[in-house]
Amino acid sequence: MELRLDEPLFLWLLVPALIYFAYSGFRNFKLGSFFFRLVFVLRMAAVAALIFALAMPSIYRPAEHQQIIYLMDHSASMEGAQTAIAESIEAAMAEKKDTQHIGVYTFAEDFQTLLPVSPEQRALPLDQSTGMADHTNIAQALELAAHSGDTDLATRLVLISDGNETKASALESLNRLQSDRIQIDVLPIQQASSQDAAITAFETPAKAFIGESQAFSLNIQSDGEREAELVLSKNDEEFDRHRIQLVDGENLFAYRYPANEEGLLKYEARLEMGEDRYLENNSLVSVTEVEGKPELLVVSGSTPSPIPGLLDRENIRTSTIDSNELPTSLSSILQYDGIIFDNVSGTSVGGQQMEVIEQAVKQFGVGFMMIGGDQSYGLGGYFKSPIERLLPVEMEVKGKHELPSLGLVIVMDRSGSMAGVKMELAKEAAARSVELLRKDDTVGVIAFDDQPWQIVDTEKLADPKEAADKILSVTPGGGTEIYRSLSEAYGQLEGLELQRKHIILLTDGQSPPSDYTSLIEGGKEDNITLSTVSIGQDADSRLLEELAATGNGRFYEVADATTIPAILSRETIMMSRTYIVDEPFYPIVYDSPWSDLFSDGVPQMNAYIATTAKPSASVALESEEGDPVLASWNYGLGKTIAYTSGSSAWSGDFQAWKNWPSFWNRSVSELLPSFDEIPFTVARKQQGVYTIEDPTRQSAIMEVAVIDETGMEIPMQSEPVAPGKLEVKLDADPGLVFFSIRNEDREAYKTGLTIPYGEEYRLSGPNTALLASIAERSGGRVLESLEESLRDIPYESGTNQPIQHFLLLLAMLLFFADITIRRFGLRLIPSMKKTKAAASPIQEAPPQTIEQLIKAKKRE
């Protein structure tokens, strides 16, 4: 045991303290009273205790134990080596000394405990898997391991890895360890030869013109000679295939293909071979923008749209598809400059497709137009959807339209088969339907498994939020029995004095046979209608379709669960609102890009869908009732238009109007991107880090958004590094992402970039230089076998017990003792000039009595 001082320089404060006490007290110390000497000593001791406390003293107790911590690299690049490593660790642990504590941890992108540090002999667990193996973070592993176990013991970390780190910096982490009792040994792992080939580079031109010959170049790395199939695809459709012969090392290939399509094209190169170690490194994508005429996508509903036949085909390239053919990836949508939905129901458009379209409009300037009809707007189920967000009108009708009284009961399957996405979307749909209702509407929600559960009582809607919260709290479980729940719903609506009474049945299962016909026919006498929703292939679609037909409702067969909210919204709106205004009228014309077309008069229009214009929308045509017929606004970089009448009979005399083709061509020209495009540069600095630069250096503010193929915005961090230059950090899965960049002057740029597979899957040997540097800087060794790691650690184990708090407490007690002695009046006056005081003692005057004082007063 020994005394140690972490801050010994503070002891120099003892010098001025001794000088002070020598000057102020030592000369009177011998002549002072006992109490004077006591207080003087107490003050000196208190000051000395404070000074020693500042020096951070501790008592060090040495220990004979040491700890050795093994760090096993479980990243993807170490696949196949874990078993041999585990056997080597167990063999080394069998040779450990009694004074050695052993711990085993695994790491990749994360850090996990396999065996906590302990002096006991133990076997490694059979399950040695790690959760996140796509990266190697040696720095994190070293720092976490250094603070594991008993930090008072001398420690040796044994790093078993190929040294190919893909996150952080292990050498930088050594600066943060700051311990004089940690040594790091390394055991480099050389992977056994395995069959693997990887596409390391795939490049196509960033821009091309229609008909131009495009150069494709590929770099393929192989660890041996083999044959492979190279597959090339465009927008996820294969267009060429080559049989190639790979040699050991680098292989370069070049091809040329004509640019025969316009727009943003996604090319993919993919390797196919028999034996292959990693599938992750077999493909890369590249993006080429082929310039040409504007490209328009017209999506038709139940009937083909007449719009393509009215457009100027010489200047506008037009593609037409049905709503069930709508692309689901962002790259496919970005091929087009504008999109038109002509009477398309939201029940045929999935939630992901709506998200993709919203991002294409907002971040990349694609135009969007919705045309009315009995399958569109509110009747299409777009309430609270991404499509409603981007349009200049709200689906909800506010104000003047007379609305029928409604009773609605939702009968929702909550059996075990609904668990997961289906259940969550069904609850969201039911809650959204409740939000569509008025407080005077009657609503009820029944969830069923093998029996009915009343979630929301069938009564007038008092608190929509409370009802929605109850619906969202439903959990799945149990079997499926439909009849009793459906009978309960009919019973709750019978006898209610309402103009419309409707039941929506939603299920993914089958139910025992029952007398549904009598139940539904009895409800029809009370004006109750029934619609059904069949989810998935296991549902009894035939039964549900028959129930809807008998109940005078509609049947929906759902393949994409994300359409469930749109279906229930559509059903609720169809029953609770009168959206179609079908009385002929002359629209009111306001100043707009279309107004000059009406200089010779305004044709009569037959019908439209009632909506409400958003506050910042620009209304070009309006009905006599004040409803928008044609409205537009800017949504992010894009422009959107709402035309609430139809493209056919609903437009009435507009179809015979001489400017009818001009009306649609003008609408398309308004949809096309109107922002100025400047060539911002986007360059990959390192994995997950990109540099964005304005070549003019004039952009004071740059806004960046990164969107993946599914339309989801990728979280990122941006940091200015110079005028007109940003550094963006993001964590995205391998694949294609799209950058949207804009500045304060509405100048913008869009581009697609490939997030390559992680460095973990590249063909490379062990990074022995890094491993050797780690060992050298920490005083460790590069091991040839793990038995070497059991040698004695050259550092001493021991514990430091700080005692500064004890010294502070002592100083405080000494000061309190000093104050106590002086506070209670103990005499501390020193007997100065003692001989003089003895020769001339002080005579005390006798005290005067009261009588003497009175007599003296009278004499005066």
Side-chain angles (χ1 to χ4, degrees), residues 412-420 422-423 447-451 453 474-482 506-510:
M412 181 174 63
D413 191 344
R414 56 145 295 197
S415 61
S417 59
M418 287 286 290
K422 289 188 290 186
M423 188 78 247
F448 68 90
D449 40 37
D450 48 12
Q451 61 180 316
W453 301 87
V474 175
T475 56
T480 305
E481 205 286 316
I482 297 174
L506 183 149
T507 180
D508 74 337
Q510 303 187 16

Side-chain angles (χ1 to χ4, degrees), residues 173-186:
S173 73
L174 296 181
N175 299 328
R176 296 189 290 269
L177 291 182
Q178 295 180 348
S179 175
D180 56 357
R181 289 191 290 192
I182 293 181
Q183 187 182 63
I184 303 175
D185 285 356
V186 297

Side-chain angles (χ1 to χ4, degrees), residues 284-340:
L284 282 179
V285 296
S286 181
V287 175
T288 298
E289 186 173 1
V290 180
E291 297 182 353
K293 300 175 183 177
E295 185 83 18
L296 180 70
L297 177 66
V298 178
V299 184
S300 299
S302 55
T303 59
S305 172
I307 295 174
L310 299 171
L311 298 177
D312 179 5
R313 295 190 177 183
E314 290 186 4
N315 296 309
I316 302 173
R317 294 173 60 90
T318 305
S319 301
T320 59
I321 60 172
D322 294 332
S323 57
N324 56 10
E325 300 172 331
L326 191 66
T328 59
S329 65
L330 183 59
S331 59
S332 298
I333 291 294
L334 291 181
Q335 299 176 60
Y336 305 102
D337 299 289
I339 302 171
I340 295 178

Side-chain angles (χ1 to χ4, degrees), residues 817-832:
D818 176 7
I819 294 170
T820 302
I821 293 173
R822 291 186 292 108
R823 171 69 181 81
F824 289 98
L826 301 176
R827 297 183 62 188
L828 304 178
I829 303 173
S831 52
M832 303 297 293

